[in-house]
Amino acid sequence: MQNLKFILSGGGTGGHIYPAIAIANELKSRFPDADILFVGASNKMEMQKVPQSGYPIKGLWIAGIQRKLTFDNALFPIKLLDSLLKSRTIIRHFKPDVVIGTGGFASGPLLRVAGIAGIPTVLQEQNSFPGITNKWLSKKASKICVAYENLEKFFPKNKIVLTGNPVRQDLVDVKQKRQEGLEFFKLDASKKTVLVLGGSLGARRINQLIAIELVNFSSQNVQLIWQCGKLYFDGYSHFNEKENVQVLPFIDRMDLAYASADVIISRAGASSVSELCLVGKPTLFIPSPNVAEDHQTKNANAIVEKEGALLIKESELDTQFTGTLNSLLNDEALQKKLSKNMLQLAKPNATKDIVDEIVKLIKN
């Protein structure tokens, strides 16, 4: 087989970037001589995270449409045309065998151009409610790998393959890393640890909540690992002065954070939900209401309906959070039930299954 070439595109948030990196790693494992290129939005976090993972990336001048009238919205048609032209140049020079999109507006122009050029394309849809970019691209896609059932109403049924979401392989068997995690974060093994995750960019409402709840955490004698997000770190870093509180802008060793945690409080982005199923720790979801079609609530409900996690809406935090969290912390039977049910929903082979679909499209 000739030297294979793959382009992966997607970004804006960790939920689109990390699945793409996981797929790239599996491709590189199977085809060590393959050339792999990423394409993202020139001013988004993929421009840092992808090179840190060892892959080259090219940026497009593209951005999503804002919900309110802005100058950037007025520029959108120009940015889209520029990105389509640059994508055509990238495709013509790189000559990929397959192009893979993991969602986010950055993947739109590139996969559109690839489809028009007759190059096989694979979409990876993480959410229970697809984003506008993947819905736009689905008619031309060769395969659509999804993480949830019943997406036939959005995508052509004959193209859908239920694979689950790609997850970092270092999350498999995190239970074996508990001692390493406790030492890494300098935690007290005799105390329960709560891990708070607001997503890769942080979550203002969750940060506000945790700041107020620190007194309650102290009364429960638990220790806290709090990923507040880079955007909010300056405003919350002073809480590091408190005993049993660690505030971090970003957690690079998520495997050790998960391994250390006894209870997890998290947003319900698709990648986070998939990771948490694999980890199987008792989880309280606080979905973001500020996303398209409220898809985080739908993601979380897919787990809650199987009694694999708890959920509190943002609008109910003031009245329900303290009681719900304290009950969870002090109910060992509930913790075990949630863990058991969540683990049963995991799809640990998702990345391999997605790459199997990509390989089927390679033209010999």
Side-chain angles (χ1 to χ4, degrees):
M1 188 176 287
Q2 80 277 19
N3 188 29
L4 295 171
K5 295 184 176 184
F6 302 99
I7 297 181
L8 294 102
S9 185
T13 67
H16 295 307
I17 298 165
Y18 294 117
I21 291 172
I23 293 169
N25 289 342
E26 177 64 20
L27 285 167
K28 201 67 175 175
S29 174
R30 295 196 199 186
F31 308 108
D33 296 328
D35 290 329
I36 296 176
L37 175 67
F38 278 71
V39 175
S42 57
N43 62 339
K44 295 296 183 180
M45 66 185 291
E46 55 263 33
M47 302 307 291
Q48 285 80 44
K49 299 301 178 185
V50 169
Q52 287 172 8
S53 298
Y55 297 103
I57 185 168
K58 291 184 179 293
L60 302 178
W61 187 42
I62 187 69
I65 299 176
Q66 306 299 312
R67 296 185 182 182
K68 55 188 178 181
L69 189 62
T70 66
F71 180 67
D72 280 344
N73 277 356
L75 285 175
F76 180 77
I78 300 169
K79 290 183 177 183
L80 178 60
L81 179 60
D82 181 84
S83 296
L84 287 166
L85 292 172
K86 188 167 184 180
S87 293
R88 190 169 69 175
T89 300
I90 291 169
I91 293 285
R92 189 168 63 242
H93 288 169
F94 192 76
K95 297 182 174 63
D97 293 282
V98 183
V99 176
I100 303 104
T102 58
F105 48 82
S107 65
L110 189 90
L111 270 85
R112 185 71 174 178
V113 169
I116 292 170
I119 296 166
T121 61
V122 175
L123 297 182
Q124 197 274 312
E125 175 54 58
Q126 296 105 27
N127 289 294
S128 56
F129 193 99
I132 188 170
T133 303
N134 277 356
K135 284 192 282 187
W136 180 55
L137 295 169
S138 63
K139 291 181 181 179
K140 293 283 186 182
S142 308
K143 285 286 180 183
I144 306 170
C145 297
V146 301
Y148 293 89
E149 297 175 342
N150 304 316
L151 292 189
E152 295 84 0
K153 53 191 168 185
F154 304 109
F155 298 139
K157 186 176 180 179
N158 62 321
K159 296 180 180 182
I160 295 175
V161 183
L162 181 63
T163 58
N165 280 325
V167 291
R168 292 171 268 200
Q169 289 307 296
D170 62 1
L171 299 183
V172 178
D173 295 327
V174 293
K175 288 183 180 179
Q176 311 300 323
K177 300 181 180 181
R178 181 166 177 82
Q179 187 57 40
E180 185 184 354
L182 292 173
E183 292 173 2
F184 183 85
F185 288 102
K186 298 179 175 60
L187 297 167
D188 183 343
S190 68
K191 295 181 178 180
K192 285 187 175 174
T193 300
V194 175
L195 172 63
V196 179
L197 303 170
S200 56
L201 300 178
R204 177 185 285 110
R205 183 66 182 92
I206 289 180
N207 288 335
Q208 292 170 341
L209 170 76
I210 299 304
I212 293 171
E213 288 287 328
L214 288 178
V215 173
N216 179 52
F217 283 115
S218 179
S219 72
Q220 293 294 315
N221 196 31
V222 298
Q223 50 202 350
L224 187 66
I225 303 174
W226 175 7
Q227 179 184 278
C228 68
K230 185 172 66 174
L231 297 177
Y232 301 100
F233 184 66
D234 287 347
Y236 291 91
S237 60
H238 66 279
F239 287 116
N240 277 314
E241 298 169 7
K242 289 188 172 290
E243 189 178 6
N244 297 320
V245 177
Q246 294 184 50
V247 186
L248 304 166
F250 190 81
I251 300 174
D252 289 315
R253 290 300 305 270
M254 279 306 306
D255 57 328
L256 299 184
Y258 284 134
S260 306
D262 295 288
V263 168
I264 298 171
I265 299 166
S266 178
R267 282 300 201 202
S271 291
S272 295
V273 172
S274 295
E275 288 185 358
L276 289 164
C277 285
L278 194 63
V279 169
K281 295 292 180 79
T283 298
L284 172 57
F285 285 120
I286 305 174
S288 170
N290 306 312
V291 292
E293 305 296 336
D294 197 22
H295 68 248
Q296 284 204 8
T297 299
K298 296 180 174 70
N299 293 344
N301 272 330
I303 310 302
V304 174
E305 288 165 3
K306 302 287 178 63
E307 297 187 314
L310 303 179
L311 183 155
I312 302 180
K313 295 180 180 179
E314 271 200 5
S315 60
E316 299 169 341
L317 286 174
D318 291 339
T319 57
Q320 294 191 20
F321 178 81
T322 304
T324 301
L325 177 67
N326 291 356
S327 295
L328 177 58
L329 285 169
N330 295 293
D331 190 337
E332 297 286 344
L334 176 59
Q335 292 174 26
K336 289 178 180 177
K337 183 182 82 168
L338 295 178
S339 293
K340 179 183 175 183
N341 292 340
M342 200 175 218
L343 283 167
Q344 290 175 347
L345 299 172
K347 288 185 168 61
N349 297 318
T351 310
K352 293 179 180 178
D353 291 344
I354 291 166
V355 172
D356 285 346
E357 296 300 321
I358 293 169
V359 171
K360 290 176 186 176
L361 296 174
I362 296 171
K363 297 175 182 177
N364 294 315

